[in-house]
Structure formats: C-alpha cells, structure tokens
Amino acid sequence: SMSDLKLLISGWFKYPHSFSYVNLEQLLPLSDKSIDLYVDHRAPLFTNWLSCQSSESPLRDPRYKKLVSKLKPAIGGKFYDASFDIAVPPILSPFNSSRKSCFMVSEYGMLSKEYIKLCGGNDSFRSLADSIDVIFTPSEWSKQAILKQDIDPNKIKVLPHGVDRKSFLTNSEVGESS
C-alpha cells in the first residue's frame, strides 16, 4: 500500500540554491501522502556555500513547514522503495533502493565537458547512466541534450519544476481563490 512506501531523496535542501527549492517544490505534493520521506543532505558543490546563514535556508521558509516536519534522516542499511538524487554531480545513492533515479539538467543544449568532468569523466558518467532507472530533467530542451550522450530515451522523463501558483496572482486574486 502507499503507506508502506519509503522514498529516499538525496540532494541539497539547506542552501539557498535553486536546486534546494526544486527539491522542496517536488516533495511538497508528497507531504500530504502516506509516503515516508527520507533525506540525505548532499555536500555543497562549492565550499563557499558553507558560509550561508541558517536564516537563508529554504528549510526555514514557512511554505515548507509541513513538509520539513515529515522529512526523516536517511538511514544506512535501510531498504527504500525508490531513491531520487538531485544535486550536481548526480550520484548513484549509496543507499539501497529498488528504483534509482536522478536529476540532470542542461543549460547549453548539451551536457558540457565540465558537467561530465564533475560526474567523474566519461566512464563514470556512463556507469551512472547505465545504473539509473530514471533520469528526470525539467524540459524537452534538456532531454534532447541528455540524449546526445547516447542514453536510452526510455530512461529520460521530463518533470517540470514546481511552482507556487499564488506567486503570480495579485493580492485580490489570492483572496478570491482561497
């Protein structure tokens, strides 16, 4: 049943980076489901992120209060039904799960040499791509870029970034819609 599902999410949550917000927005709809959400906080891409104040953390945003209260720390040795990694470079989570997925994005119409290098080079990138069940990317543009790396098109799913619809409404419209 749904109540037995254990989802592991590895990635950035506490740094004021767009990926942290994407993570939280994608998890938000799951917070009212009967899914156990486990989090593995990935190390930052750059050490200067460590100087961010805790007050800047997206985890402090009131929008995510209900979600944050449901997030449990990832536990080594536990079995997860699915894992989702969203950070750079994408990794194959060290946690045990029956379905492994990651997030990849291209900003240049191709995965750049720098991106492949961050993934550990061509062999490591290929190994990751072969081991992952699903690669999520936010747009058809990005999907086409990933396909240039000779990845099975059936593995790539477009999952647009989440958005708070109320952000685009005026105060009077928000009042009318609530």
Side-chain angles (χ1 to χ4, degrees):
S1 75
M2 281 281 273
S3 63
D4 299 324
L5 284 180
K6 291 174 181 56
L7 175 62
L8 169 77
I9 310 93
S10 67
W12 299 321
F13 296 89
K14 52 189 173 186
Y15 307 110
H17 186 280
S18 59
F19 275 40
S20 295
Y21 287 96
V22 169
N23 260 331
L24 292 165
E25 283 297 319
Q26 290 181 347
L27 289 176
L28 201 54
L30 300 177
S31 65
D32 61 358
K33 306 275 186 257
S34 297
I35 298 173
D36 290 332
L37 301 172
Y38 294 86
V39 174
D40 176 36
H41 290 276
R42 290 273 306 271
L45 184 57
F46 302 109
T47 55
N48 69 334
W49 293 13
L50 296 172
S51 65
C52 294
Q53 303 302 308
S54 64
S55 61
E56 297 174 281
S57 172
L59 294 172
R60 305 274 304 262
D61 187 319
R63 175 167 169 75
Y64 306 117
K65 185 175 182 173
K66 181 180 166 196
L67 169 63
V68 169
S69 69
K70 288 197 70 176
L71 300 177
K72 303 170 187 173
I75 302 165
K78 190 175 197 67
F79 180 80
Y80 298 94
D81 296 293
S83 62
F84 179 43
D85 180 72
I86 177 167
V88 174
I91 62 165
L92 196 58
S93 172
F95 296 92
N96 196 3
S97 68
S98 58
R99 190 153 170 84
K100 297 174 178 7
S101 60
C102 74
F103 176 83
M104 285 185 196
V105 65
S106 164
E107 298 173 0
Y108 307 105
M110 58 180 264
L111 295 180
S112 69
K113 287 185 174 82
E114 293 81 13
Y115 186 88
I116 300 296
K117 189 175 175 184
L118 280 171
C119 292
N122 286 323
D123 291 345
S124 292
F125 178 84
R126 176 61 38 211
S127 177
L128 172 78
D130 291 345
S131 302
I132 287 285
D133 297 302
V134 181
I135 296 170
F136 291 106
T137 194
S139 67
E140 188 61 36
W141 161 272
S142 202
K143 177 180 179 177
Q144 293 306 316
I146 295 167
L147 286 171
K148 291 177 184 173
Q149 292 297 321
D150 197 30
I151 292 177
D152 177 356
N154 296 314
K155 281 189 175 191
I156 306 171
K157 305 289 182 224
V158 174
L159 178 66
H161 293 323
V163 67
D164 179 6
R165 212 172 54 83
K166 291 179 187 160
S167 299
F168 296 96
L169 303 174
T170 66
N171 286 338
S172 62
E173 289 171 320
V174 171
E176 291 166 10
S177 67
S178 35

PDB file of all heavy atoms in Angstrom, residues 94-109:
ATOM      1  N   PRO A  94      24.243   5.911  -2.299  1.00  0.00           N
ATOM      2  CA  PRO A  94      24.835   4.751  -1.626  1.00  0.00           C
ATOM      3  C   PRO A  94      23.796   3.946  -0.839  1.00  0.00           C
ATOM      4  O   PRO A  94      24.098   2.884  -0.330  1.00  0.00           O
ATOM      5  CB  PRO A  94      25.861   5.387  -0.678  1.00  0.00           C
ATOM      6  CG  PRO A  94      25.364   6.760  -0.417  1.00  0.00           C
ATOM      7  CD  PRO A  94      24.641   7.177  -1.680  1.00  0.00           C
ATOM      8  N   PHE A  95      22.573   4.463  -0.774  1.00  0.00           N
ATOM      9  CA  PHE A  95      21.516   3.767  -0.059  1.00  0.00           C
ATOM     10  C   PHE A  95      20.852   2.737  -0.967  1.00  0.00           C
ATOM     11  O   PHE A  95      20.791   2.904  -2.174  1.00  0.00           O
ATOM     12  CB  PHE A  95      20.491   4.771   0.468  1.00  0.00           C
ATOM     13  CG  PHE A  95      21.061   5.718   1.480  1.00  0.00           C
ATOM     14  CD1 PHE A  95      21.587   6.933   1.095  1.00  0.00           C
ATOM     15  CD2 PHE A  95      21.085   5.381   2.829  1.00  0.00           C
ATOM     16  CE1 PHE A  95      22.123   7.808   2.024  1.00  0.00           C
ATOM     17  CE2 PHE A  95      21.615   6.245   3.770  1.00  0.00           C
ATOM     18  CZ  PHE A  95      22.145   7.452   3.373  1.00  0.00           C
ATOM     19  N   ASN A  96      20.339   1.691  -0.373  1.00  0.00           N
ATOM     20  CA  ASN A  96      19.754   0.573  -1.102  1.00  0.00           C
ATOM     21  C   ASN A  96      18.301   0.872  -1.481  1.00  0.00           C
ATOM     22  O   ASN A  96      17.474   1.090  -0.608  1.00  0.00           O
ATOM     23  CB  ASN A  96      19.842  -0.667  -0.207  1.00  0.00           C
ATOM     24  CG  ASN A  96      19.619  -1.940  -0.976  1.00  0.00           C
ATOM     25  OD1 ASN A  96      19.458  -1.927  -2.191  1.00  0.00           O
ATOM     26  ND2 ASN A  96      19.595  -3.035  -0.263  1.00  0.00           N
ATOM     27  N   SER A  97      18.019   0.894  -2.775  1.00  0.00           N
ATOM     28  CA  SER A  97      16.639   1.105  -3.224  1.00  0.00           C
ATOM     29  C   SER A  97      16.356   0.276  -4.465  1.00  0.00           C
ATOM     30  O   SER A  97      17.250  -0.021  -5.249  1.00  0.00           O
ATOM     31  CB  SER A  97      16.374   2.588  -3.502  1.00  0.00           C
ATOM     32  OG  SER A  97      17.109   3.023  -4.614  1.00  0.00           O
ATOM     33  N   SER A  98      15.079  -0.078  -4.627  1.00  0.00           N
ATOM     34  CA  SER A  98      14.705  -0.922  -5.762  1.00  0.00           C
ATOM     35  C   SER A  98      14.585  -0.134  -7.057  1.00  0.00           C
ATOM     36  O   SER A  98      14.698  -0.701  -8.130  1.00  0.00           O
ATOM     37  CB  SER A  98      13.403  -1.661  -5.472  1.00  0.00           C
ATOM     38  OG  SER A  98      12.369  -0.755  -5.199  1.00  0.00           O
ATOM     39  N   ARG A  99      14.372   1.167  -6.966  1.00  0.00           N
ATOM     40  CA  ARG A  99      14.273   2.007  -8.171  1.00  0.00           C
ATOM     41  C   ARG A  99      15.092   3.257  -7.933  1.00  0.00           C
ATOM     42  O   ARG A  99      14.838   3.997  -7.003  1.00  0.00           O
ATOM     43  CB  ARG A  99      12.808   2.350  -8.430  1.00  0.00           C
ATOM     44  CG  ARG A  99      12.556   2.994  -9.764  1.00  0.00           C
ATOM     45  CD  ARG A  99      11.134   2.686 -10.204  1.00  0.00           C
ATOM     46  NE  ARG A  99      10.720   3.446 -11.347  1.00  0.00           N
ATOM     47  CZ  ARG A  99      10.984   3.109 -12.615  1.00  0.00           C
ATOM     48  NH1 ARG A  99      11.672   2.037 -12.870  1.00  0.00           N
ATOM     49  NH2 ARG A  99      10.561   3.856 -13.605  1.00  0.00           N
ATOM     50  N   LYS A 100      16.072   3.477  -8.799  1.00  0.00           N
ATOM     51  CA  LYS A 100      17.002   4.593  -8.628  1.00  0.00           C
ATOM     52  C   LYS A 100      16.765   5.650  -9.707  1.00  0.00           C
ATOM     53  O   LYS A 100      16.653   5.330 -10.883  1.00  0.00           O
ATOM     54  CB  LYS A 100      18.441   4.088  -8.718  1.00  0.00           C
ATOM     55  CG  LYS A 100      18.817   3.102  -7.625  1.00  0.00           C
ATOM     56  CD  LYS A 100      20.210   2.542  -7.879  1.00  0.00           C
ATOM     57  CE  LYS A 100      20.745   1.579  -6.870  1.00  0.00           C
ATOM     58  NZ  LYS A 100      19.967   1.083  -5.814  1.00  0.00           N
ATOM     59  N   SER A 101      16.696   6.894  -9.259  1.00  0.00           N
ATOM     60  CA  SER A 101      16.512   7.977 -10.223  1.00  0.00           C
ATOM     61  C   SER A 101      17.402   9.154  -9.839  1.00  0.00           C
ATOM     62  O   SER A 101      17.850   9.265  -8.702  1.00  0.00           O
ATOM     63  CB  SER A 101      15.042   8.413 -10.280  1.00  0.00           C
ATOM     64  OG  SER A 101      14.601   8.871  -9.028  1.00  0.00           O
ATOM     65  N   CYS A 102      17.661   9.996 -10.822  1.00  0.00           N
ATOM     66  CA  CYS A 102      18.445  11.199 -10.563  1.00  0.00           C
ATOM     67  C   CYS A 102      17.941  12.320 -11.457  1.00  0.00           C
ATOM     68  O   CYS A 102      17.139  12.110 -12.359  1.00  0.00           O
ATOM     69  CB  CYS A 102      19.938  10.955 -10.779  1.00  0.00           C
ATOM     70  SG  CYS A 102      20.443  10.817 -12.495  1.00  0.00           S
ATOM     71  N   PHE A 103      18.425  13.494 -11.176  1.00  0.00           N
ATOM     72  CA  PHE A 103      18.068  14.700 -11.908  1.00  0.00           C
ATOM     73  C   PHE A 103      19.285  15.129 -12.725  1.00  0.00           C
ATOM     74  O   PHE A 103      20.401  15.126 -12.214  1.00  0.00           O
ATOM     75  CB  PHE A 103      17.698  15.784 -10.900  1.00  0.00           C
ATOM     76  CG  PHE A 103      17.386  17.122 -11.511  1.00  0.00           C
ATOM     77  CD1 PHE A 103      16.127  17.381 -12.025  1.00  0.00           C
ATOM     78  CD2 PHE A 103      18.331  18.124 -11.539  1.00  0.00           C
ATOM     79  CE1 PHE A 103      15.825  18.633 -12.564  1.00  0.00           C
ATOM     80  CE2 PHE A 103      18.040  19.370 -12.076  1.00  0.00           C
ATOM     81  CZ  PHE A 103      16.786  19.621 -12.595  1.00  0.00           C
ATOM     82  N   MET A 104      19.063  15.456 -13.970  1.00  0.00           N
ATOM     83  CA  MET A 104      20.110  16.036 -14.815  1.00  0.00           C
ATOM     84  C   MET A 104      19.502  17.215 -15.543  1.00  0.00           C
ATOM     85  O   MET A 104      18.335  17.198 -15.900  1.00  0.00           O
ATOM     86  CB  MET A 104      20.632  15.037 -15.852  1.00  0.00           C
ATOM     87  CG  MET A 104      21.538  13.988 -15.315  1.00  0.00           C
ATOM     88  SD  MET A 104      22.196  12.959 -16.668  1.00  0.00           S
ATOM     89  CE  MET A 104      22.785  11.579 -15.720  1.00  0.00           C
ATOM     90  N   VAL A 105      20.330  18.218 -15.768  1.00  0.00           N
ATOM     91  CA  VAL A 105      19.850  19.393 -16.477  1.00  0.00           C
ATOM     92  C   VAL A 105      20.952  19.902 -17.395  1.00  0.00           C
ATOM     93  O   VAL A 105      22.134  19.786 -17.075  1.00  0.00           O
ATOM     94  CB  VAL A 105      19.392  20.494 -15.490  1.00  0.00           C
ATOM     95  CG1 VAL A 105      20.539  21.025 -14.672  1.00  0.00           C
ATOM     96  CG2 VAL A 105      18.678  21.617 -16.217  1.00  0.00           C
ATOM     97  N   SER A 106      20.544  20.404 -18.534  1.00  0.00           N
ATOM     98  CA  SER A 106      21.495  21.021 -19.454  1.00  0.00           C
ATOM     99  C   SER A 106      21.101  22.463 -19.651  1.00  0.00           C
ATOM    100  O   SER A 106      19.928  22.769 -19.848  1.00  0.00           O
ATOM    101  CB  SER A 106      21.448  20.316 -20.808  1.00  0.00           C
ATOM    102  OG  SER A 106      22.068  21.126 -21.779  1.00  0.00           O
ATOM    103  N   GLU A 107      22.089  23.331 -19.587  1.00  0.00           N
ATOM    104  CA  GLU A 107      21.820  24.740 -19.834  1.00  0.00           C
ATOM    105  C   GLU A 107      22.377  25.183 -21.178  1.00  0.00           C
ATOM    106  O   GLU A 107      22.271  26.330 -21.537  1.00  0.00           O
ATOM    107  CB  GLU A 107      22.430  25.575 -18.703  1.00  0.00           C
ATOM    108  CG  GLU A 107      21.796  25.228 -17.359  1.00  0.00           C
ATOM    109  CD  GLU A 107      22.472  25.907 -16.190  1.00  0.00           C
ATOM    110  OE1 GLU A 107      23.443  26.653 -16.393  1.00  0.00           O
ATOM    111  OE2 GLU A 107      22.021  25.670 -15.060  1.00  0.00           O
ATOM    112  N   TYR A 108      23.009  24.264 -21.889  1.00  0.00           N
ATOM    113  CA  TYR A 108      23.714  24.641 -23.126  1.00  0.00           C
ATOM    114  C   TYR A 108      23.260  23.854 -24.345  1.00  0.00           C
ATOM    115  O   TYR A 108      23.907  23.904 -25.375  1.00  0.00           O
ATOM    116  CB  TYR A 108      25.223  24.428 -22.946  1.00  0.00           C
ATOM    117  CG  TYR A 108      25.773  25.125 -21.723  1.00  0.00           C
ATOM    118  CD1 TYR A 108      26.114  24.404 -20.580  1.00  0.00           C
ATOM    119  CD2 TYR A 108      25.931  26.511 -21.696  1.00  0.00           C
ATOM    120  CE1 TYR A 108      26.607  25.047 -19.454  1.00  0.00           C
ATOM    121  CE2 TYR A 108      26.416  27.149 -20.574  1.00  0.00           C
ATOM    122  CZ  TYR A 108      26.758  26.421 -19.455  1.00  0.00           C
ATOM    123  OH  TYR A 108      27.231  27.051 -18.353  1.00  0.00           O
ATOM    124  N   GLY A 109      22.197  23.083 -24.233  1.00  0.00           N
ATOM    125  CA  GLY A 109      21.775  22.254 -25.355  1.00  0.00           C
ATOM    126  C   GLY A 109      22.604  20.985 -25.465  1.00  0.00           C
ATOM    127  O   GLY A 109      22.457  20.213 -26.398  1.00  0.00           O
TER     128      GLY A 109
END
